[in-house]
Amino acid sequence: MPSDTSTNLYDLTRPALGALLSGWGFGPYHRDQLWTALYRRHATTFDELDGLKPELLRMLREHTRLGQLATHHESFSSDGFTHKLLLRLDDGQTIETVLMRFKGRATVCISTQAGCAMGCVFCATGQMGLSRHLTPGEIVGQILHVNRILRASGETLRNVVLMGMGEPLHNYEHTMSAVDVLVDALGLAMGPRFITLSTVGVVPGIRRLADEERPIHLAVSLHGATDAERAALVPAGRRWPLDELMDACRYYSEKRKRRIFFEWTLISGRNDTAEHAHTLGLLLRGMDAHVNVIPLNPTVGYDGGPSRPESVRAFQDVLTSYDVPSTVRQRRGIDIDAGCGQLKATVERRSRRSLPTSA
Ligand code: SAH
Ligand code: SF4
């Protein structure tokens, strides 16, 4: 029987799996046979790994496990497009994964940490604090979980956004190992261009991403275009001020020859006036940038509200005057707490309420 400390096979990239197997005397042929069984034939148990050499299967049973994520709670938006899952990890932690199906193109929003250490004031995940980093297998596991749901209705996954719970660049190694598994040509073979990583602005991580060969998209959460305004919403802004952040973004954009997406959560009266838009326009003018404006999804721990539609339009008009393109991203499934961390917060509040109070 595999022990609790056994290796989760989904934690391993193909080269890492090769290293494990070669230590047992099995070469690349066996590695690739196992890899395709996991990611092409979708085996989820050792019994389904038929066709492998019996000695290899025995070693796998003894030393490894196939860690699956269980559905702890799920809900569907009233428009039917959004399916929000709260998935349970082996240690009982829960994380959010959101599946959005729109016009036959499925997108999944996945988590990279249980909680988050960055403390953005309006974010339900930030309000929880960090429990722990996810392992690569727990990040990949979210994709495998939604793939099973999609396969049942003959759909396929197209886009992956790392915009769920947590800060991906605070969990750099595990996140990148997971990305390497997702794009591996012999397995899930997802297009790197259909993967977007969103960061709060971890400068060393952005520079490292620029230096490595992973052609995924980068989105940077700004929410403020002066250090003081940004830091009031995003405490990480004190650690990595805007001049350092924008330098890193320019470095990324030049090195990777890529457009950067900037996210701006619009909060009524806080960061949605014409003046805020002018400051942002000046900051991004001349860059290969695209702004995604997202009206705030209100959270229990923050008293701000979303901008009115006319303020959103006026904000965009000012950006256009600086030749900065923008798109409004409505958070789909607002009725099911589809903002980052919100379902978990709601489910936990509910279960606390239903628990008997101790004397
Ligand atoms: N930690 C990363 C990725 C996860 S958050 C980051 O901060 O970029 C993904 C996006 O959702 C971020 O732009 C974040 O600011 C935004 N967001 C978080 N909570 C929100 C809320 N309640 N309403 C609107 N946008 C929110
Ligand atoms: Fe963390 Fe992103 Fe939420 Fe900020 S917005 S607390 S970085 S998950």
Side-chain angles (χ1 to χ4, degrees):
M1 279 293 286
S3 65
D4 282 349
T5 52
S6 63
T7 304
N8 180 4
L9 285 179
Y10 299 117
D11 275 338
L12 305 179
T13 60
R14 193 148 53 97
L17 180 65
L20 177 74
L21 265 53
S22 85
W24 299 340
F26 299 97
Y29 169 81
H30 297 282
R31 174 200 64 192
D32 291 349
Q33 202 186 11
L34 173 56
W35 190 263
T36 49
L38 293 178
Y39 296 110
R40 284 280 165 94
R41 291 200 284 115
H42 321 293
T44 54
T45 62
F46 288 116
D47 290 341
E48 290 171 289
L49 290 176
D50 46 4
L52 295 189
K53 246 186 151 180
E55 302 89 276
L56 173 56
L57 196 52
R58 187 176 56 76
M59 291 301 274
L60 290 171
R61 282 184 193 276
E62 274 173 25
H63 300 288
T64 70
R65 66 198 157 88
L66 290 160
Q68 309 295 337
L69 309 183
T71 304
H72 180 72
H73 183 92
E74 64 187 326
S75 51
F76 296 85
S77 62
S78 49
D79 63 12
F81 289 128
T82 310
H83 180 179
K84 182 137 193 174
L85 296 145
L86 196 58
L87 300 178
R88 197 172 48 250
L89 311 177
D90 280 350
D91 63 354
Q93 289 284 342
T94 53
I95 53 162
E96 292 185 9
T97 304
V98 185
L99 176 58
M100 290 154 280
R101 295 145 135 155
F102 192 59
K103 293 185 182 157
R105 295 193 304 260
T107 295
V108 67
C109 175
I110 59 171
S111 297
T112 53
Q113 296 179 314
C116 182
M118 300 294 154
C120 303
V121 295
F122 53 82
C123 169
T125 309
Q127 291 156 14
M128 289 167 200
L130 177 69
S131 295
R132 66 170 175 85
H133 293 315
L134 299 192
T135 64
E138 289 166 339
I139 301 171
V140 172
Q142 297 169 70
I143 303 291
L144 299 176
H145 194 96
V146 298
N147 268 344
R148 278 195 285 279
I149 295 172
L150 289 170
R151 262 202 313 281
S153 52
E155 293 167 277
T156 49
L157 183 61
R158 187 173 137 123
N159 300 298
V160 176
V161 294
L162 291 98
M163 291 189 188
M165 296 171 72
E167 169 46 48
L169 297 184
H170 184 210
N171 185 16
Y172 193 97
E173 302 284 345
H174 290 178
T175 299
M176 296 310 157
S177 293
V179 167
D180 290 344
V181 172
L182 300 186
V183 303
D184 191 291
L186 267 195
L188 296 169
M190 299 211 63
R193 281 174 178 74
F194 295 103
I195 299 177
T196 302
L197 180 149
S198 174
T199 177
V200 72
V202 177
V203 165
I206 294 173
R207 290 188 170 272
R208 190 168 164 194
L209 197 61
D211 290 334
E212 294 178 353
E213 294 298 323
R214 271 186 207 91
I216 58 176
H217 286 292
L218 178 66
V220 175
S221 299
L222 274 184
H223 315 311
T226 66
D227 279 325
E229 283 174 357
R230 185 163 189 262
L233 297 171
V234 178
R238 278 191 278 276
R239 174 122 177 240
W240 297 291
L242 278 169
D243 56 348
E244 281 180 37
L245 175 59
M246 297 315 290
D247 271 355
C249 289
R250 275 185 286 272
Y251 177 73
Y252 177 91
S253 185
E254 277 153 31
K255 190 104 196 265
R256 298 254 64 95
K257 307 268 177 287
R258 296 202 131 238
R259 159 170 300 186
I260 299 188
F261 295 88
F262 290 95
E263 290 159 283
W264 191 280
T265 293
L266 277 171
I267 308 169
S268 182
R270 227 19 230 278
N271 65 355
D272 70 341
T273 66
E275 200 188 328
H276 290 111
H278 280 291
T279 320
L280 178 60
L282 282 171
L283 187 73
L284 300 183
R285 186 161 62 178
M287 275 183 81
D288 190 4
H290 188 105
V291 177
N292 287 326
V293 288
I294 316 157
L296 178 79
N297 229 359
T299 53
V300 171
Y302 181 64
D303 63 4
S307 301
R308 293 198 317 274
E310 54 273 28
S311 312
V312 177
R313 270 193 300 276
F315 193 90
Q316 286 190 282
D317 288 344
V318 174
L319 291 182
T320 308
S321 73
Y322 289 88
D323 282 333
V324 174
S326 64
T327 310
V328 183
R329 302 268 175 220
Q330 286 295 347
R331 289 199 152 244
R332 289 188 173 280
I334 284 198
D335 55 335
I336 54 162
D337 295 317
C340 158
Q342 287 180 256
L343 180 65
K344 177 172 165 118
T346 304
V347 169
E348 285 184 356
R349 256 195 319 278
R350 262 192 232 137
S351 66
R352 267 200 302 276
R353 273 205 300 269
S354 60
L355 282 176
T357 44
S358 55

